[in-house]
Amino acid sequence: MESCFKMKTCIYHCLYLFMLMNISILFAILVVIRLGILLITKGPRKMFKSTQRESPPTCLMDPKLGTHGYLYIEDVRIHYVSKGDSDKPLMLLMHGFPESWYSWRHQLKEFSDNYRVVAVDLRGYGDSDKPSGISQYKMDKLVKDVKQIITALGYSSCVLVGHDWGGAIAWIFSGLYPEMVEKVIVLNCPHPHAFKKYLQTNWAQLKKSWYMFFFLIPILPDIYVRLFDMKFFDIIFRGTKGGVLTNATTQEDVDAYKYLFSKRGSLTGPMNYIRAALLCRPESTTRGKVKTPVLLLWGCRDLAIEKGQAEKCKDYAEDLTIKYLHDASHWVQMDEPDTVNLYIREFIQK
């Protein structure tokens, strides 16, 4: 009976990979066509324009945001920025794709009066190590990193905050290690199991997830992101069609991301998160609901994730509070930092 079940599982996985391969090829063809049109209409010089970024923008070294440091854990070296006294409780901040510790600049300053606030560059990002291979970015590795980061910082538990991919890690980590998490705050990210179910049944979410399938193709996504002097980052962090909507980000903020992702190989690790999620079988499983209190903040004008998934998260948390920010985008902590900070403070003070 068990061998029969394993065989069926293997067959389903093979069919799933075959489907992903075909979808990815389709998106690759569409992108190649688009690149060809751009090459003709814009010209190669403008299309592949690239500004040299040898030194970081001043904002990345702003001492008001905290002190830079490194943690040497089992597999990787993790870069972080810390603000607040070391004798205070730990608030650990985890960014999403394609971001860095800098996405938490507003929260580092806001909560350092009561917490030691630590914003990390997740493995593969920024100044943290970038191990090669898709399997190095499986959820099991990411969860293990968080456990070791908390311990390496000298703590046994923390308030855990995650946005996007950082939120996915926070969901799974909280389910596996409830004793290490006092409270959980997730921004614009459903529980991974809820997302998987929603993706299988909701056409709107499938369309929004087109980039995930495109990222399965090697090389081409890297080229696409770097076009027109990495205009991709101008669009998502300052654009009016799905980027940060409130003009809360400056050009220097955008230049910070361009600097971090202009380095050779800097996009491979972040894209491997998505590749690992789609291609590798999950090993970490959470049985039952997350027992730790969870605050889910959701920017409703998110062009990457359907709002309907927020309510679905109630199936995965025993104590879930949802707050909607109706005019915020996916980048909710940058879009409306004051409102986000207010909701977080109210939640952690309960």
Side-chain angles (χ1 to χ4, degrees):
M1 180 69 76
E2 185 177 347
S3 61
C4 182
F5 175 77
K6 288 182 177 180
M7 184 176 293
K8 286 183 178 179
T9 303
C10 184
I11 292 172
Y12 289 146
H13 190 65
C14 289
L15 290 173
Y16 168 74
L17 293 178
F18 179 75
M19 178 193 71
L20 288 181
M21 180 183 70
N22 282 279
I23 294 174
S24 302
I25 291 173
L26 173 62
F27 278 115
I29 292 171
L30 293 174
V31 170
V32 168
I33 293 172
R34 176 171 171 77
L35 290 177
I37 294 172
L38 288 173
L39 192 62
I40 294 171
T41 57
K42 302 293 184 180
R45 181 173 297 180
K46 186 175 181 180
M47 188 172 171
F48 296 105
K49 175 186 175 183
S50 179
T51 301
Q52 292 292 327
R53 296 178 172 87
E54 297 179 357
S55 58
T58 306
C59 61
L60 287 177
M61 307 308 294
D62 185 353
K64 294 179 181 178
L65 296 180
T67 304
H68 292 253
Y70 292 91
L71 296 171
Y72 294 83
I73 59 178
E74 184 177 321
D75 291 337
V76 289
R77 183 188 70 165
I78 297 292
H79 169 253
Y80 69 91
V81 174
S82 175
K83 187 172 178 63
D85 296 335
S86 59
D87 59 349
K88 294 177 180 178
L90 175 64
M91 177 182 283
L92 184 62
L93 310 175
M94 301 186 296
H95 62 80
F97 171 89
E99 302 176 73
S100 76
W101 71 268
Y102 187 68
S103 293
W104 299 109
R105 54 195 177 275
H106 302 293
Q107 289 68 45
L108 280 161
K109 291 186 288 187
E110 174 69 20
F111 296 104
S112 59
D113 54 346
N114 300 114
Y115 289 88
R116 182 187 181 192
V117 188
V118 176
V120 297
D121 280 334
L122 295 172
R123 67 161 61 202
Y125 281 89
D127 289 328
S128 289
D129 284 348
K130 302 169 179 59
S132 60
I134 293 173
S135 64
Q136 291 296 315
Y137 298 88
K138 293 170 64 176
M139 183 59 74
D140 302 85
K141 294 277 189 181
L142 309 178
V143 167
K144 190 176 180 181
D145 285 352
V146 175
K147 186 179 181 182
Q148 293 180 7
I149 287 169
I150 294 171
T151 303
L153 288 169
Y155 293 85
S156 58
S157 64
C158 70
V159 172
L160 191 60
V161 187
H163 169 251
D164 188 73
W165 265 99
I169 300 168
W171 275 114
I172 298 300
F173 183 85
S174 302
L176 289 171
Y177 302 103
E179 72 282 359
M180 297 187 73
V181 184
E182 296 158 19
K183 289 192 175 182
V184 189
I185 297 102
V186 177
L187 292 75
N188 276 69
C189 182
H191 191 288
H193 297 340
F195 177 77
K196 184 177 180 181
K197 286 185 178 180
Y198 207 85
L199 185 64
Q200 293 171 347
T201 58
N202 188 279
W203 176 246
Q205 183 56 58
L206 188 65
K207 288 193 293 183
K208 286 186 175 183
S209 300
W210 69 270
Y211 67 94
M212 298 177 67
F213 305 111
F214 173 53
F215 285 174
L216 294 178
I217 302 295
I219 303 173
L220 197 57
D222 193 291
I223 295 173
Y224 190 81
V225 170
R226 296 182 187 281
L227 292 177
F228 301 103
D229 194 28
M230 306 185 82
K231 188 179 179 180
F232 171 80
F233 291 99
D234 293 290
I235 294 171
I236 65 173
F237 292 130
R238 294 205 79 191
T240 57
K241 298 180 180 179
V244 175
L245 298 168
T246 60
N247 293 319
T249 53
T250 66
Q251 188 58 51
E252 187 181 31
D253 293 331
V254 177
D255 289 341
Y257 292 100
K258 287 187 177 184
Y259 167 76
L260 292 169
F261 288 100
S262 65
K263 300 175 183 178
R264 185 177 182 87
S266 58
L267 286 164
T268 303
M271 290 181 182
N272 278 345
Y273 277 66
I274 295 170
R275 292 164 180 155
L278 292 176
L279 298 176
C280 300
R281 294 184 186 180
E283 295 175 13
S284 291
T285 56
T286 54
R287 296 182 180 180
K289 297 182 177 182
V290 174
K291 295 179 174 59
T292 308
V294 182
L295 172 64
L296 179 58
L297 300 179
W298 203 281
C300 296
R301 296 174 68 181
D302 190 329
L303 292 188
I305 309 175
E306 284 284 294
K307 173 186 170 183
Q309 294 174 75
E311 290 293 325
K312 299 295 183 182
C313 292
K314 291 180 179 178
D315 295 335
Y316 301 94
E318 291 184 358
D319 183 1
L320 176 64
T321 301
I322 304 174
K323 296 286 187 180
Y324 294 103
L325 288 83
H326 296 284
D327 295 322
S329 68
H330 178 73
W331 321 100
V332 61
Q333 80 274 35
M334 289 185 269
D335 234 335
E336 296 191 24
D338 292 340
T339 306
V340 167
N341 291 346
L342 175 63
Y343 284 148
I344 292 176
R345 191 171 289 279
E346 289 176 347
F347 179 69
I348 59 180
Q349 287 179 346
K350 284 183 180 180

